[in-house]
């Protein structure tokens, strides 16, 4: 260990280098700028940090004035998970919509345009794409963030996404290794467990990651999941068997390994973020993502000190920490090298074009075909049946089709019915009773207007399905728009599956309803 000219030592600097913290506000706080000067090499941005593209560009310029090669990371998947457009909804459909189209060139173009916009704002690392195979339809955290339940489809689109994003000069971070699709537990709240044999994992979960590695993904994000077939004791983020033995050894990956957010309950609630961070770096992780909920200098100091202490006690080999820091710096050099971005093709309209192609429109028997279905001539009543927001998505991002229909059919009336309307007193989802009352309330509010019922993952929410039962029994001409995974059978006079809730998905569905 040596002391540098600025007074810091190499051990402390390496410990800071491997952290990817967040912060609050739309400009960089003094503590963050100071830490950049001391060795911090990465910063994570979230919706709370972004007001506009111009403001974001000013923020990233402020960061680079302190350290010109700083890695600026963001969780911008497009679709349901957007930070650039957190207040309006995304201009790009998410993975599930792209998988529904199944045009790898379209996926590459969408990822390139998204990457181009990120690069223009000064972002250099995107925590995307999700390579998870959504094999459990009950999955509460992946869902439309996955390209689909088909392994080969997920693999080819993961590779296309990585290629498109990185051709715009933004590093991809393929997630959530070794696969977060086969679970009904959200790792933001608890530790999921995937109980399948090793050969199933190899053939299903790992295939998209092999494709991402072959496509040159600059980073891979670990999952906070327990996979007993690989390691019966520790979740993937803390498992040397999984990060070093499997990802590095068997799959031959030599890029940056980033952890998922260490403040998520799957880690913080069991190990604590300090202990969890030490175990993650020891296991083979190179960068510690923290800041979705913990975003202050005290957190950075606690994690830095925990890593330094672990080296001094011999628990964390100093060369392992140095190796991790070197990988962070190597990606920072790649990301700050000019001239990497290639020109796109179809530009800003590619997102809406993709959303239109992703629609699946089903007309009830006897009412004709999608081509002959008569669009609405009068403004309808839009009943949005809204589940509790997923933490990864955030509850501040608007979704649905109401705003688009109001624009296309002025006079449209809207009403929102939350998941709380379908819950019993103990907080659990109740079935027909609450859903039936929700449906009756929507019928009363609609009056004589045609009803457009908007749902999100109807198959996962009994109250939502019951509300639709009530609506359709009384008004069989109701139009149903499914903006989640279309697992439930299509029903309604017209059923539109958008395969995601991005703003452009809502626009595409509204165009069909309005006959455009």
């Amino acid at each position: 260990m040596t002391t540098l000219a600025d007074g810091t030592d190499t051990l402390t600097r390496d410990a800071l280098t491997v952290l990817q913290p967040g912060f609050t506000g739309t400009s960089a706080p003094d503590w963050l700028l100071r830490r950049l000067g001391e060795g911090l090499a990465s910063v994570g941005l979230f919706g709370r940090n972004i007001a506009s593209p111009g403001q974001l560009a000013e923020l990233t310029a402020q960061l680079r004035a302190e350290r010109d090669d700083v890695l600026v990371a963001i969780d911008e998947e497009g679709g349901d998970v957007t930070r650039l457009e957190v207040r309006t909804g995304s201009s790009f459909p998410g993975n599930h919509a792209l998988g529904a189209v199944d045009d790898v060139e379209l996926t590459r173009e969408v990822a390139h345009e998204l990457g181009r916009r990120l690069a223009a704002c000064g972002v250099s690392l995107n925590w995307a794409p999700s390579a998870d195979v959504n094999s459990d339809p009950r999955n509460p955290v992946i869902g439309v963030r996955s390209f689909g339940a088909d392994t080969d489809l997920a693999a080819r689109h993961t590779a296309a996404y990585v290629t498109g994003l990185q051709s715009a000069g933004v590093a991809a971070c393929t997630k959530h290794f070794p696969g977060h699709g086969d679970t009904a537990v959200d790792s933001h709240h608890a530790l999921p467990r995937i109980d399948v044999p090793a050969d199933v994992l190899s053939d299903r979960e790992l295939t998209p990651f092999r494709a991402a590695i072959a496509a040159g993904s600059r980073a891979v994000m670990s999952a906070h999941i327990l996979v007993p077939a690989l390691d019966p004791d520790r979740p993937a983020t803390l498992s040397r068997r999984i990060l070093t033995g499997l990802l590095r050894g068997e799959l031959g990956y030599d890029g940056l390994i980033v952890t998922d957010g260490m403040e998520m309950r799957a880690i913080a609630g069991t190990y604590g973020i300090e202990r969890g961070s030490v175990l993650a770096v020891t296991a083979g992780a190179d960068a510690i993502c923290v800041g979705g909920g913990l975003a202050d200098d005290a957190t950075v100091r606690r994690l830095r000190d925990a890593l330094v202490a672990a080296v001094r006690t011999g628990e964390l080999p100093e060369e392992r920490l140095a190796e991790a820091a070197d990988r962070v710096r190597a990606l920072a050099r790649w990301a700050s090298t000019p001239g990497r971005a290639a020109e796109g093709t179809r530009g800003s309209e590619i997102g809406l074009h993709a959303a239109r192609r992703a629609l699946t429109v089903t007309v009830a028997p006897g009412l004709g075909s999608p081509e002959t279905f008569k669009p609405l001539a009068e403004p309808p009543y839009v009943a949005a049946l809204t589940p509790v927001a997923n933490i990864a998505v955030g509850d501040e991002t608007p979704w649905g089709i109401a705003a688009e229909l109001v624009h296309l059919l002025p006079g449209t009336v809207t009403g929102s019915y939350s998941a709380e309307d379908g819950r019993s007193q103990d907080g659990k989802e109740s079935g027909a009773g609450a859903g039936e009352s929700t449906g009756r309330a929507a019928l009363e509010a609609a009056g004589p207007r045609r009803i457009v019922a908007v749902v999100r993952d109807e198959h996962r929410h009994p109250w939502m399905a019951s509300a639709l039962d009530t609506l359709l029994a009384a008004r069989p001409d109701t139009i149903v728009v499914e903006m989640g995974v279309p697992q439930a059978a299509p029903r309604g006079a017209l059923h539109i599956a958008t395969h995601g809730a991005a703003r452009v998905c809502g626009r595409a569905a509204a165009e069909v309803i309005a006959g455009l």
Side-chain angles (χ1 to χ4, degrees), residues 415-429:
S416 179
Y417 303 86
S418 74
E420 294 303 319
D421 298 319
R423 288 180 180 270
S424 58
Q425 291 183 351
D426 63 3
K428 296 180 180 179
E429 283 199 356

Side-chain angles (χ1 to χ4, degrees), residues 98 101 103-111 346 350 353-354 357:
L98 296 172
V101 179
D103 179 343
V104 291
E105 180 58 22
L106 178 67
T107 294
R108 190 201 65 77
E109 290 183 42
V110 167
R346 285 187 272 187
I350 188 65
H353 169 75
R357 288 187 62 187

Side-chain angles (χ1 to χ4, degrees), residues 20 43-47 49-50 72-86 114 118 123 125-130 145 161 173 175-176 188 221 260-261 264 289 292 390-394 397:
Q20 288 190 348
V43 174
L45 301 181
F46 298 86
N49 304 122
I50 300 169
V72 180
I74 200 169
D75 196 5
E76 180 61 52
E77 300 176 16
D80 290 32
V81 181
T82 180
R83 311 306 177 205
L84 282 182
E85 300 178 279
V86 65
L114 180 59
L118 289 172
V123 174
L125 171 62
N126 190 11
W127 294 318
S130 168
R145 300 168 66 196
Y161 197 105
C173 182
K175 59 189 183 185
H176 306 81
H188 291 87
M221 178 177 283
D260 207 344
M264 293 163 62
C289 175
N390 178 281
I391 291 177
V393 175
T397 303

Side-chain angles (χ1 to χ4, degrees), residues 360-379:
T360 299
V361 181
T362 306
V363 179
L367 295 181
S369 66
E371 292 76 19
T372 61
F373 184 84
K374 188 175 181 180
L376 298 189
E378 300 294 331

Side-chain angles (χ1 to χ4, degrees), residues 9-10 33 73 86 194 206-207 219 266 272 282 306 312 323 339 357 374 381 404 470 499:
D9 58 71
T10 54
L33 298 176
V86 65
I194 296 182
L206 298 185
T207 296
T282 303
R312 288 176 173 161
E323 176 189 52
R357 288 187 62 187
K374 188 175 181 180
Y381 178 79
E404 300 296 340
T470 300
H499 301 92

Side-chain angles (χ1 to χ4, degrees), residues 424-471:
S424 58
Q425 291 183 351
D426 63 3
K428 296 180 180 179
E429 283 199 356
S430 51
E436 184 180 352
S437 63
T438 300
R440 288 198 303 267
L443 285 169
E444 183 177 352
R449 291 173 180 266
R450 184 78 172 273
I451 297 175
V452 178
V454 184
V455 298
R456 200 167 176 177
D457 289 345
E458 178 201 341
H459 67 284
R460 292 200 302 112
H461 303 288
W463 74 271
M464 194 181 291
S466 176
L468 272 187
D469 290 341
T470 300
L471 287 175

